[in-house]
Amino acid sequence: MNPNEVKIEIGRLSKELDHHNYLYYVESNPSIADYDFDVLLKQLQELEEKFPEFVNENSPTKRVGGDITKKFDSVVHKFPMLSLSNTYSEDEISDWVMRITKLEDGELEFVCELKYDGVAIGIQYVNGALTRAVTRGDGSQGENVTSNVKTIKTIPLRLKGDFPKDFEIRGEIFFPLKNFNRLNEQRREHSEPEFANPRNTASGTLKMQNSKVVASRGLDCFLYGVYGTNIEAGHYEMVNRAADWGFKTPKPEKRFIEKTKTVGGVMEFIAYWDKSRGELPFEIDGVVIKVNSYRQQEELGFTAKSPRWAISYKFKAERVETILESVVYQVGRTGAVTPVANLKPVQLGGTKVKRASLYNADQIERLNLHLNDSVYVEKGGEIIPKIIGVNLDLRPVEAEHIFFIENCPECNTRLERKEGEVHHYCLNESTCPPQKKGKIEHFIGRKALNIDGLGAETVDALFDARLISNYADLYDLKFHQVVELERMADKSANNLIFGVRGSKEIPFERVLFGLGIRFVGETLAKKLAKSLKNIDALASATFEELIAIDEIGDRIAESILMFFRDEENKQLIQRLKDAGLNFEIIEKEGATNKFEGKSFVVSGVFDVFSRTELKEAIEINGGKNVSSISAKTDFVIAGDKMGPAKLKKATDLEITILSEDDFIKILNE
Ligand code: IVH
């Protein structure tokens, strides 16, 4: 291609990718398979690498992040970013509606919206291209976080349709609950402290220096205001118009935004969302009521801090008062000690609450807790209720002050707290019972050795009967020992023994995960297995060799070294090896990860390969075979005599259908 052709091709690919991004993220209605999208993106990336002079600031390749920002510049807002006056009282809302109605003699319309619980952002577009994104900051100036905002897939990098030449759009960046929970799950796996709530985490994420990390977290954004345009319209109409330019805007069908002319309409909206907010896939902390007409907004104007034409109604966080009966301490698999409050049972948000998390020693100190205190319990963003304060008026005389324990409640070892860590740890890994049991439970878990017929309760029973004290002991268990346990029938004992035997087929990466090396979660175990191939190479790797592996930093390398230095661990691994577990990766000939994350349905009769051979080829290249077609299927390989019903289903779901020839072509690419 000559340079001009390259330029045109880059433009064409970008446009196509922008379009598919929009269909996938904003409309939730993709028209091509992920695989095909990835192929297009890769083509564009390759061209951009070869011809950096043609790279556009808003190329779809910017979505994956990669820019490291040392310091975010300060930017003065063209229109100050004000806050809203808010109230918890419905009476004040109706007073406000009445007052506004009296002030304005023309007809009034109100727009009711959700109050998204995230971080405000102002995004500027010039000639349809995203030029800058700035946080609220102190309201008059904020931070330039453009490279991070570009990784948010629902924010268009280039607009479509009939957009204004130069304008700013404002909205709220938030953490969808699904992605927030996934992030915390990963952190649990790596024994990292979990994030407390989606809002603060969204805010922290937006200010991270590595935009690649931001891209991986899956933030989202709703837009709620257009500034600097001359279009004569109301706010509601403008938001709808922004949807035509490619923005994700609140949908009237879902009642995320609603127009009404009456107080009753406003009250109905508030009542609906107070009741239904728990069903949303993101958090809101109230609703916002705005005057629709821009002309009337202008007439009403602003106070120093907030517009007179808008007000927010905040939901009350549900809070109850109850008695703190005791504090107990739980010791986890890693030895981390978590205090938990036992409460006098009380009804809160539809469930009966008996316990509340106290997180760590600092929290106990902050609350200055005493036994039998009357405490306020709230269910906020966090899933587990928490104690937010003490009603000092009701503190019993001479109540006993609660101090964090100094020794492990299970094995009496003195607890330690390393500098910079929030948790106290019991370092007695080798005999502290919950740590030992926890390690076995982790080992048998679904993502590790996945031993059928064995669950936490049975581990407890086997442990208490002294039949096992570590995971290697599982492989010495005999049927007659197991069947003697209380409530253990012949059949269950048999299942257990067979389950243990079956686990010897589990691939190395999952065995490695099961060993429970601190910070080595599922993904990291895969990575280590792939790059070092076997346990001996891992056990003898030096610090330098370890940190040379992608994603492995000092802390993880140290933890791996420490694990393999330990005599007891060495013995455990030897016993597992003797039992026949997999300690090296089984590399199949021609293996690639070409189809990683993709699922296939193979159906019909083929000319070159048998069905089994096709399925093997899929697996060797990292793909997954599934038996029936669903919306989650990525490809259908269709041979002769494939049933018409299946074919129709695949077509209806817009799944890519490959012939045997197509598949062979992709294989050989
Ligand atoms: S309008 C001049 N609409 O609430 C007022 N704000 O306290 C402009 N927020 O900083 C804001 N959802 O971060 C507006 N539907 C919504 C909102 C919303 C959440 C946040 C926003 C703002 C704060 C105001």
Side-chain angles (χ1 to χ4, degrees), residues 82-84 113-116 119-120 136 172 224 227 288 290 307 309:
L82 300 176
S83 56
L84 292 164
E113 293 173 18
L114 303 181
K115 188 165 192 305
Y116 309 102
V119 226
R136 172 157 185 255
E172 196 87 348
Y224 53 63
Y227 292 73
V288 184
K290 299 173 180 170
W309 46 262

Side-chain angles (χ1 to χ4, degrees), residues 80-86 112-121 136 170-173 222-225 227 235 250 256 284-290 302 305-307 309-310 312 314:
M81 274 176 113
L82 300 176
S83 56
L84 292 164
S85 59
N86 58 49
C112 308
E113 293 173 18
L114 303 181
K115 188 165 192 305
Y116 309 102
D117 202 7
V119 226
I121 192 82
R136 172 157 185 255
R170 290 187 179 166
E172 196 87 348
I173 290 178
F222 267 118
L223 281 319
Y224 53 63
Y227 292 73
H235 165 67
F256 287 0
I284 59 175
D285 58 344
V287 301
V288 184
I289 324 292
K290 299 173 180 170
F302 298 85
K305 275 198 259 147
S306 50
W309 46 262
S312 77
K314 288 237 214 171

Side-chain angles (χ1 to χ4, degrees), residues 255-294:
R255 290 193 80 172
F256 287 0
I257 186 165
E258 205 162 277
K259 238 176 8 172
T260 175
K261 289 181 181 158
T262 64
V263 174
V266 171
M267 290 305 157
E268 221 251 299
F269 188 83
I270 291 178
Y272 177 79
W273 282 112
D274 200 2
K275 202 170 101 240
S276 314
R277 65 182 153 129
E279 287 149 36
L280 286 168
F282 49 83
E283 288 190 337
I284 59 175
D285 58 344
V287 301
V288 184
I289 324 292
K290 299 173 180 170
V291 169
N292 191 35
S293 146
Y294 284 145

Side-chain angles (χ1 to χ4, degrees), residues 93-276:
I93 294 285
S94 41
D95 287 351
W96 177 82
V97 171
M98 300 299 189
R99 206 167 53 238
I100 300 284
T101 313
K102 268 197 208 129
L103 278 174
E104 286 295 319
D105 27 61
E107 175 148 280
L108 260 172
E109 276 185 319
F110 294 96
V111 183
C112 308
E113 293 173 18
L114 303 181
K115 188 165 192 305
Y116 309 102
D117 202 7
V119 226
I121 192 82
I123 316 172
Q124 194 181 45
Y125 287 84
V126 178
N127 295 326
L130 188 160
T131 52
R132 203 167 68 185
V134 183
T135 62
R136 172 157 185 255
D138 64 4
S140 60
Q141 54 184 38
E143 286 175 307
N144 181 342
V145 288
T146 312
S147 55
N148 285 344
V149 167
K150 280 186 183 175
T151 67
I152 300 173
K153 311 285 196 301
T154 48
I155 297 179
L157 300 179
R158 275 176 287 224
L159 304 180
K160 54 196 184 90
D162 188 17
F163 47 78
K165 227 173 134 34
D166 186 347
F167 72 101
E168 182 173 332
I169 192 159
R170 290 187 179 166
E172 196 87 348
I173 290 178
F174 62 92
F175 226 127
L177 289 172
K178 203 168 120 214
N179 297 350
F180 177 72
N181 292 334
R182 187 189 62 196
L183 175 66
N184 265 346
E185 198 175 306
Q186 284 165 359
R187 294 184 65 88
R188 267 200 297 281
E189 256 181 25
H190 289 90
S191 306
E192 288 165 343
E194 286 172 49
F195 290 116
N197 68 58
R199 192 211 321 116
N200 294 357
T201 316
S203 166
T205 301
L206 199 60
K207 290 186 190 156
M208 290 178 82
Q209 289 174 333
N210 186 346
S211 58
K212 237 186 186 148
V213 182
V214 185
S216 74
R217 290 207 172 160
L219 294 176
D220 202 343
C221 181
F222 267 118
L223 281 319
Y224 53 63
V226 181
Y227 292 73
T229 60
N230 293 320
I231 300 172
E232 266 296 317
H235 165 67
Y236 183 88
E237 290 69 29
M238 193 57 129
V239 169
N240 278 336
R241 215 176 278 191
D244 300 336
W245 308 331
F247 289 102
K248 172 167 170 164
T249 53
K251 295 260 175 303
E253 308 88 88
K254 295 192 178 165
R255 290 193 80 172
F256 287 0
I257 186 165
E258 205 162 277
K259 238 176 8 172
T260 175
K261 289 181 181 158
T262 64
V263 174
V266 171
M267 290 305 157
E268 221 251 299
F269 188 83
I270 291 178
Y272 177 79
W273 282 112
D274 200 2
K275 202 170 101 240
S276 314

Side-chain angles (χ1 to χ4, degrees), residues 363-370 373 390 392 395 401-402:
Q363 179 73 356
I364 293 188
E365 209 175 295
R366 211 173 296 137
L367 292 166
N368 181 23
L369 288 180
H370 286 59
D373 263 344
V390 177
L392 291 176
R395 175 166 288 167
H401 195 160
I402 297 173

